[in-house]
Amino acid sequence: MIYEQQPTLPAPASTIGLVGWLRTNLFNTPKNSIATLLLIFLCYIWLTPIFDWVFFSADWVGSSRESCTSGGACWVFITQRIDQFMYGFYPADETWRLNLTFVVFVACIAWLVWPNLPKKGLVAVFTLAVFPFIAFVLLSGGYFGLEHVETHKWGGLSLTLVLAVVGIVAALPLGILLALGRRSEMPIVRAFSVAYIEIWRGVPLITVLFMASVMLPLFLPENMHFDKLLRALIGITMFQTAYMAEVIRGGLQAIPRGQYEAADALGLGYWQKMVMIILPQALKLMIPGVVNTFIALFKDTSLVLIIGLFDLLAIVQAAQNDPKWIGYATEGYVFVAFVFWIFCFGMSRYSQNLEKMLHTGHGNRA
Amino acid sequence: MPTDLSRSAPPGEKTRFWNDPAKRALLFQVLLIGAILLFAGSLISNTLNNLEQRGITTGFAFLSQKAGFGIPLSLIEYNESSTYGTTFFVGLFNTLLVSVLGIIAATILGFVMGVARLSDNWLIAKLSAVYIEIFRNIPLLLQIFFWYFAVLRTLPSPRQSIEFLGSFLNIRGLSMPAPVAEGGFNLVIGAFAVGVVLTFVMSRWAHKRQDQTGQIFPTFWAGLGLLIGLPLIVFMLAGMPMHLDYPVLKGFNFRGGMTLIPELVALWLALTIYTAAFIAETVRAGILAVPNGQLEAASALGLPKVRTLRLIVIPQAMRVIIPPLTSQYLNLAKNSSLAAAVAYPDLVAVFAGTTLNQTGQAVEIMSMTMAVYLTMSILTSLFMNWYNKRMSLIER
C-alpha cells in the first residue's frame, strides 16, 4: 500500500475566528464565563450613562449656560473659556507670543523625536541652550519692543508647560551631578550628595513649595526679591533633582565594572571616562526612569495652585466658581483630566518606543 | 604609543600636587566645605536679619501658647483653648489616620487590580489595564478635587440624606452607628487575646507536625475560628455587652453615632485609587518576575492552583514587590499632605497652614513639619529593609 498524503484538515471551527477567540479569551472555563457575563452587564449599566453624558446628550455649541439644555455634559463651559484655560490672564493681543514659543518648542521636540532626521545634535544644543532665552524673551517681553508681561499674568496650560519644561531641563544636569557625587570616592562629596538626596526625597513637594513661598524670602538679603513663579520653579527643581539623581544612580550602577576599568586602562581622566564611556550607556538604561520622573513632575506642577499660581487646574477651579458657571465642576475636571492624561500617556508611550529603538542588546532581554 | 623610557620620570621624583588625584580630591572637598559653610552662613545671617527686621521672635515658646481656632476632626482631646503644641499632634494623628486607611485600601485594590491585569480572561485584563492607565496619568490633586467638589459636594443636605442600614450619607459626610462597649466587654477582648496566643501556638505546632509527618493542618481555618469564633461565642455568652449609638437628625445636622467628614472621604478615595494603580503595576511586575519553571515544577508536583499561588508564586513575587511597594506607601503618606487643598485637617493644613499663619514662625514650623515626614520616611524604609532582608533569597 502506497502512503498518500492526505489533505490537511482545517482547524476545528470552535478554535478559529471570532468564536475561537471568544472561547479562548472570554469563556474558557465556567468561572470565567460567569465573570465575563457579569462584567459585560456591569459595563453596560455603568458605561452607557457615562458615554451618554459625555457624547450623545452633551451640548457642544453655544455662548452661555442657557445653551445647555439636553441634560448631558455642558462642553460649552469649556469652549467658551478655552482661551483662559490655555493662556491664563496673558493679554489677549499678546497670545501670539505664547503660540509662537509653543510652535518653536514643538518643532524642536518633533525634530528630536522623529527618527532619521539629520543634525539632531545641533537641534538638541539649540533646544537646550538657545531656545530657553528665546522663550524667556518672547514670554516675558520687555526687549525688542515687546510689551512686558508680568509672571502673575501667566497661567493655564502654558504655565503648566513652562513649569514642567523648566523643571526637567534644570533637574537633569543637576541630577547627573548629584548622582555622580553619590558614587564618588570623596567622602565629603558623597555625604553631601546623600544628605541632599535623602532630605528632599523624604519630604512632600507641598512642604517644599510652602518653604519656597514662605521661607525663601527670609533666606535672601533684604533688597533681593524673587518673583513667585521663580520661587516655585526653584522649589520644584530642587525637589525633582533629588528624584532624578536616584534614577541616574540606578543607571550608573547597572554599568558593568569592566567598563569603568577599561576606561581607566585607557588612561582617561574622571570626566572623560564619565562623559565618553559611562553616561552614554547609563542614559540609555535610564530612559524609562527619566520619563517616569518627567511624568511625575508634569502631574506635580498642579500643586502650585496651593501657593497661588494659576496653572491649568487652578484656572479651571477658579472658572467653575464664577457665578455664571456654578455647577459645572465635573465638566471642568474631566477636561483638565483629559489634557493631563494625553500628555502623560503620550510621554509614557513614547518612552516605551524609545526604549525599543535604542535597544542595542544591553541587559538580559534577547 | 611610542614610549621613550629615558624621558619618563624616575621613580623617586614627586608628582606635582595637581596631578595627584588624592591631593586634588582633598582640595576639591575643602573647597566644597568652604562653599557650603559660606552659603549656610549667608542664609543664617540673612534669616536672622530678616526676622529681626520683621519683628518675629524665634524659638519654640509659641508651642505652649493658646491656639484659639477650631479643628473639625481630631483623634485626641482638642478644643479652642488648647495650645499650638496640641495642634501639631492633632495634625500629625490626622495625617497618620488617612495614611493608614489609604495604605490598607490601596494595598487591597492594588493587588486585586495587579492580578486582574494578568487574568486569562481578556475582559478582566483589559478593564484593569484601562483603570491603571487612566488613574496613573491624572494628577492626584485633580482626583482629590474631583471626589470632593464634583462628587461629594453634590450630595443632598442632611434633611434629604441617603439612608441605608442606619447610616446617613449627606453633604456633611457619612454618619454611621457607633459601637459603644458596655460592662462585660472586657471578657470579649480577653477572649480575643487568648485567641491570638492559641493561634500562634497552633501554627508553631502545625509547622512542626508538617516537618515531621508531612501532614498539613488547616491552620488558616482553625486560626480564623480562634480569632473570630472564640470572641463571638464569649460575646454571645456575656449577653451581648455592646449597643450601637445611632445618629439622629437634630436641627440641621446629625447627632450621635460617628461621622466620616467628606474631606477625609475624598482624600482617602483619591489616595487609594491613585496609589492602587501604581501598586497594581508593581504587583504585576513581581508576579511576572517569577520564572515559569517554578509554575511548571509546581504543577508537575500536582500542587493545586491555590496552593501554587500561596506557596510558590507569592513568596517569590514578594521579594520583587516589597521594595517598590515601600516607596508607594511612602508616596501615599507624603501625598496625604495634599489634604490642604480640601481643608482636611492634616499636619500641613493645621500646623504648616493655620498655625504658621497665626504665629508667623515659619522657620520653626516648617522644620518641624519636614522633620515629621523625614522621620516617617526613615522609619518606614528601615522597617521595610529589615523585612526585605528577612524575605530575600538565600542562594546556596
Side-chain angles (χ1 to χ4, degrees):
Chain A
M1 190 175 149
I2 303 159
Y3 175 75
E4 270 177 48
Q5 179 160 8
Q6 301 292 314
T8 317
L9 289 176
S14 62
T15 61
I16 52 167
L18 182 67
V19 179
W21 185 87
L22 285 175
R23 280 184 70 128
T24 41
N25 289 308
L26 292 176
F27 300 100
N28 53 349
T29 59
K31 251 193 228 167
N32 260 347
S33 308
I34 295 170
T36 303
L37 291 177
L38 193 71
L39 277 176
I40 290 176
F41 176 69
L42 287 179
C43 284
Y44 176 75
I45 299 233
W46 285 334
L47 292 185
T48 320
I50 292 180
F51 273 91
D52 185 53
W53 183 81
V54 173
F55 297 109
F56 305 125
S57 59
D59 291 289
W60 299 84
V61 284
S63 52
S64 71
R65 64 187 296 167
E66 273 69 49
S67 315
C68 295
T69 48
S70 50
C74 182
W75 299 121
V76 180
F77 172 54
I78 308 297
T79 50
Q80 276 299 302
R81 287 182 165 255
I82 191 80
D83 278 357
Q84 213 185 55
F85 293 157
M86 293 295 125
Y87 307 119
F89 307 109
Y90 212 82
D93 297 341
E94 307 288 329
T95 47
W96 63 270
R97 283 153 54 178
L98 287 175
N99 291 338
L100 182 62
T101 317
F102 186 69
V103 167
V104 174
F105 179 67
V106 169
C108 287
I109 295 295
W111 192 292
L112 291 173
V113 164
W114 206 267
N116 305 327
L117 279 182
K119 300 236 163 71
K120 290 218 179 198
L122 213 64
V123 177
V125 170
F126 174 80
T127 315
L128 288 177
V130 185
F131 174 72
F133 294 102
I134 299 179
F136 178 75
V137 170
L138 269 175
L139 294 181
S140 166
Y143 302 96
F144 308 115
L146 289 174
E147 189 196 329
H148 178 57
V149 182
E150 286 175 23
T151 54
H152 66 80
K153 288 188 181 158
W154 302 15
L157 183 62
S158 51
L159 182 72
T160 302
L161 288 173
V162 166
L163 286 165
V165 171
V166 175
I168 199 75
V169 168
L172 192 59
L174 291 175
I176 292 180
L177 282 183
L178 268 178
L180 290 177
R182 191 165 184 169
R183 285 174 61 77
S184 159
E185 280 159 14
M186 297 182 267
I188 290 169
V189 174
R190 198 171 53 225
F192 171 75
S193 308
V194 170
Y196 182 94
I197 293 171
E198 294 305 330
I199 288 177
W200 289 113
R201 263 166 28 111
V203 298
L205 177 57
I206 204 173
T207 58
V208 176
L209 287 174
F210 261 45
M211 197 169 89
S213 76
V214 187
M215 275 165 84
L216 208 58
L218 287 180
F219 290 157
L220 296 171
E222 262 177 89
N223 44 15
M224 218 162 131
H225 287 290
F226 271 21
D227 175 90
K228 204 184 209 172
L229 176 62
L230 186 59
R231 290 198 303 236
L233 276 174
I234 292 176
I236 288 181
T237 307
M238 307 259 294
F239 184 76
Q240 292 297 340
T241 300
Y243 277 87
M244 197 58 91
E246 283 299 88
V247 169
I248 294 166
R249 184 166 72 110
L252 290 176
Q253 279 177 348
I255 306 299
R257 206 182 157 74
Q259 295 286 328
Y260 290 86
E261 287 166 351
D264 287 338
L266 286 174
L268 296 181
Y270 178 79
W271 291 108
Q272 283 173 315
K273 174 168 72 178
M274 286 304 160
V275 171
M276 297 187 335
I277 311 283
I278 307 299
L279 282 175
Q281 299 183 60
L283 279 167
K284 205 155 54 182
L285 293 177
M286 282 152 19
I287 290 168
V290 169
V291 177
N292 276 348
T293 317
F294 198 4
I295 293 174
L297 171 67
F298 191 79
K299 285 185 293 178
D300 281 348
T301 54
S302 56
L303 299 197
V304 296
L305 84 85
I306 287 167
I307 58 168
L309 288 175
F310 279 89
D311 78 316
L312 179 59
L313 179 56
I315 292 262
V316 172
Q317 181 84 345
Q320 76 197 13
N321 289 334
D322 178 344
K324 271 192 281 180
W325 288 105
I326 259 172
Y328 291 102
T330 316
E331 282 87 344
Y333 292 131
V334 170
F335 169 70
V336 187
F338 180 69
V339 173
F340 270 100
W341 187 84
I342 290 281
F343 275 93
C344 295
F345 190 70
M347 279 190 279
S348 81
R349 276 299 125 113
Y350 174 67
S351 101
Q352 287 168 13
N353 218 7
L354 198 61
E355 241 179 284
K356 264 185 222 143
M357 226 163 60
L358 289 176
H359 189 72
T360 48
H362 57 265
N364 53 9
R365 283 171 291 180
Chain B
M1 196 169 89
T3 41
D4 188 353
L5 288 174
S6 64
R7 271 212 210 155
S8 66
E13 196 174 304
K14 276 178 77 178
T15 344
R16 302 279 171 87
F17 83 91
W18 59 82
N19 279 335
D20 182 347
K23 286 181 184 148
R24 213 164 45 185
L26 197 68
L27 178 73
F28 185 64
Q29 296 190 69
V30 169
L31 284 179
L32 181 72
I33 292 184
I36 293 173
L37 285 182
L38 208 68
F39 183 66
S42 92
L43 278 194
I44 291 170
S45 84
N46 281 337
T47 311
L48 290 179
N49 199 5
N50 282 322
L51 288 178
E52 200 180 339
Q53 289 271 319
R54 298 177 195 189
I56 303 172
T57 51
T58 49
F60 290 92
F62 72 97
L63 287 177
S64 52
Q65 284 168 18
K66 215 177 100 172
F69 61 89
I71 299 177
L73 174 76
S74 136
L75 297 178
I76 54 173
E77 184 97 3
Y78 178 84
N79 55 44
E80 273 158 44
S81 57
S82 303
T83 60
Y84 286 124
T86 325
T87 64
F88 172 77
F89 286 105
V90 171
L92 178 60
F93 289 132
N94 283 344
T95 292
L96 292 178
L97 171 73
V98 75
S99 303
V100 170
L101 288 178
I103 283 174
I104 294 170
T107 309
I108 297 170
L109 185 61
F111 269 80
V112 169
M113 283 299 175
V115 174
R117 200 171 176 180
L118 291 172
S119 163
D120 57 354
N121 185 322
W122 182 85
L123 194 61
I124 294 178
K126 279 289 166 280
L127 282 178
S128 141
V130 166
Y131 160 81
I132 292 169
E133 291 299 350
I134 287 183
F135 287 99
R136 229 169 34 141
N137 287 322
I138 294 175
L140 175 61
L141 187 61
L142 173 60
Q143 298 190 31
I144 296 175
F145 280 158
F146 178 79
W147 291 113
Y148 188 63
F149 291 108
V151 177
L152 297 179
R153 284 280 108 178
T154 52
L155 287 174
S157 69
R159 286 181 180 283
Q160 277 103 40
S161 299
I162 304 164
E163 189 183 346
F164 57 96
L165 302 170
S167 307
F168 299 90
L169 186 66
N170 58 50
I171 198 163
R172 302 266 176 87
L174 177 66
S175 299
M176 291 177 301
V180 179
E182 285 163 14
F185 196 70
N186 288 338
L187 283 176
V188 182
I189 296 174
F192 181 72
V194 172
V196 170
V197 173
L198 283 180
T199 309
F200 183 70
V201 172
M202 179 193 68
S203 78
R204 293 286 292 268
W205 169 80
H207 244 272
K208 221 182 210 167
R209 195 178 78 138
Q210 194 183 349
D211 283 351
Q212 282 167 355
T213 65
Q215 286 175 321
I216 298 172
F217 187 76
T219 320
F220 178 75
W221 293 109
L224 208 66
L226 283 171
L227 286 177
I228 297 178
L230 190 67
L232 206 66
I233 291 169
V234 175
F235 181 69
M236 295 295 181
L237 288 179
M240 299 202 217
M242 178 186 280
H243 70 270
L244 291 172
D245 179 20
Y246 286 95
V248 186
L249 186 65
K250 272 190 186 147
F252 291 107
N253 210 347
F254 282 91
R255 295 280 162 80
M258 52 184 184
T259 304
L260 279 181
I261 55 174
E263 289 80 16
L264 173 63
V265 178
L267 189 63
W268 174 73
L269 269 175
L271 282 174
T272 301
I273 291 173
Y274 182 77
T275 316
F278 287 88
I279 293 180
E281 284 296 88
T282 305
V283 169
R284 183 171 72 110
I287 293 176
L288 284 179
V290 177
N292 218 10
Q294 295 282 330
L295 292 175
E296 289 162 354
S299 72
L301 286 174
L303 227 50
K305 210 173 169 185
V306 175
R307 206 165 283 172
T308 308
L309 207 64
R310 198 166 65 89
L311 297 174
I312 310 285
V313 176
I314 290 177
Q316 297 190 64
M318 280 317 266
R319 294 190 183 118
V320 184
I321 292 174
I322 284 169
L325 189 65
T326 314
S327 11
Q328 291 309 330
Y329 286 171
L330 272 182
N331 279 346
L332 190 146
K334 284 196 290 170
N335 282 335
S336 72
S337 61
L338 294 186
V342 288
Y344 170 76
D346 83 320
L347 183 65
V348 170
V350 166
F351 196 62
T354 318
T355 303
L356 191 143
N357 278 340
Q358 288 196 1
T359 59
Q361 297 198 294
V363 181
E364 291 85 356
I365 287 178
M366 287 314 297
S367 39
M368 277 173 81
T369 310
M370 286 181 150
V372 165
Y373 285 104
L374 272 179
T375 321
M376 220 151 69
S377 299
I378 291 168
L379 285 182
T380 317
S381 69
L382 281 181
F383 170 74
M384 282 299 182
N385 281 340
W386 167 79
Y387 185 63
N388 194 24
K389 207 173 259 173
R390 232 188 63 137
M391 296 284 283
S392 67
L393 188 66
I394 301 163
E395 280 179 304
R396 297 199 171 91

